[in-house]
Amino acid sequence: MYEIERKLAEDPCLKGLEQMRQTYQFAKRGWKIDPNRIDVHITEAGHRGLPAGRFAISVEREGILDDSEHFGAFATYVVDRKILDLWSCGGNMDPASFRHQPKL
């Protein structure tokens, strides 16, 4: 996680990363877990009462919709290639925060 966090912190959008909630989980591709890819979800601390910090979790529940306005970021990290794709970062209601479709 430290390598991923270092790469995330290089992006100006994620200043103060240590004060945000960072969730790391193995990516799910179809019905299978892909241990070579890690999905990263970052939200502002305090959103929905969630604390700041670094959390490694199992595959997140699907179908959770959140239409409240808050800061968020999404990325995928490929373990064997050490490549990070930060594909969304900013306000969840701001279309400019969506950078591109996930590439990895």
Side-chain angles (χ1 to χ4, degrees):
M1 282 193 284
Y2 295 111
E3 173 68 16
I4 300 170
E5 192 172 75
R6 185 185 63 72
K7 288 180 179 280
L8 288 167
E10 291 173 359
D11 194 292
C13 181
L14 292 172
K15 288 185 179 179
L17 183 62
E18 65 282 349
Q19 297 173 3
M20 298 179 194
R21 180 179 181 86
Q22 307 158 50
T23 306
Y24 300 85
Q25 64 189 16
F26 287 119
K28 190 173 161 190
R29 302 293 181 242
W31 292 101
K32 294 185 178 186
I33 292 174
D34 182 351
N36 191 45
R37 286 181 168 68
I38 298 173
D39 285 338
V40 182
H41 180 205
I42 298 167
T43 55
E44 62 187 79
H47 178 68
R48 298 204 178 260
L50 297 171
R54 186 184 308 124
F55 301 89
I57 63 170
S58 61
V59 177
E60 219 167 15
R61 297 178 304 203
E62 293 189 41
I64 298 173
L65 299 176
D66 185 351
D67 62 355
S68 63
E69 193 165 338
H70 63 279
F71 175 88
F74 294 91
T76 303
Y77 181 76
V78 180
V79 176
D80 65 353
R81 294 172 51 202
K82 296 184 183 252
I83 296 173
L84 179 75
D85 178 23
L86 180 60
W87 50 272
S88 180
C89 190
N92 68 320
M93 300 295 190
D94 181 1
S97 68
F98 182 73
R99 297 176 175 186
H100 57 266
Q101 289 291 329
K103 295 178 183 176
L104 306 173

